[in-house]
Every structure is written in C-alpha cells, then in structure tokens.
Amino acid sequence: AFAAECLAREPGCRQFQVVRLESSAHHVLFFEAYEHAAAFEAHRASEHLVRFKAAFQHLVAGEQPLRLGILEPEQA
C-alpha cells in the first residue's frame, strides 16, 4: 500500500517496488526510481514516509546506504 501511495501522490515517482530477497524471507528491498533528485528529496520529507517509518520501526533491523543513478530513457 505504501508503494502505491508513493506512486499516486508523489510527482516524479516513476517506479516503486518492494522486493522480497531470495536469500532471506525476512529481508526486503525497496526499489524506487524518481525523475530527479528533487523528487526523491520530496519523498524523503513526505508525511507518509514519516508515518511509514514510525509504523514499521520495530521491524527494521537496519538500512543499507542509498545508491543514486540516472534512469535511462526506454529504448523504442
């Protein structure tokens, strides 16, 4: 539901997927793609991210560093 909310409510959110890792059923990866850094920073400051972190804080053992890159346009 959080991924769907980000896609629907955040301008610049182009992709948001929650991936359960094969190596561990208890670990997930949030794969997010934003049009530009400003859109991602708006996501990080959003009220719904604050609510999400508060609701799931007890389930988070740790976070890995973010990797930023350029999303290439799709080839026709």
Side-chain angles (χ1 to χ4, degrees), residues 10-51:
E10 293 182 11
C13 183
R14 295 179 66 193
Q15 184 176 1
F16 197 122
Q17 294 177 291
V18 181
V19 179
R20 183 175 294 131
L21 301 178
E22 259 186 19
S23 59
S24 173
H26 301 290
H27 293 96
V28 294
L29 168 73
F30 290 88
F31 183 85
E32 307 166 51
Y34 290 84
E35 287 182 19
H36 41 69
F40 181 65
E41 288 306 316
H43 164 70
R44 292 182 63 183
S46 69
E47 187 237 320
H48 58 271
L49 181 58
V50 171
R51 284 193 333 262

Side-chain angles (χ1 to χ4, degrees), residues 1-2 8-9 13 21 24-25 27 30 32 37 42 44-45 51 53-56 59 65 67-70 73-74 76:
F2 178 70
R9 295 179 57 184
C13 183
L21 301 178
S24 173
H27 293 96
F30 290 88
E32 307 166 51
R44 292 182 63 183
R51 284 193 333 262
K53 285 186 169 187
F56 291 96
L59 297 176
R67 294 183 188 150
L68 301 177
I70 304 297
E74 291 184 33

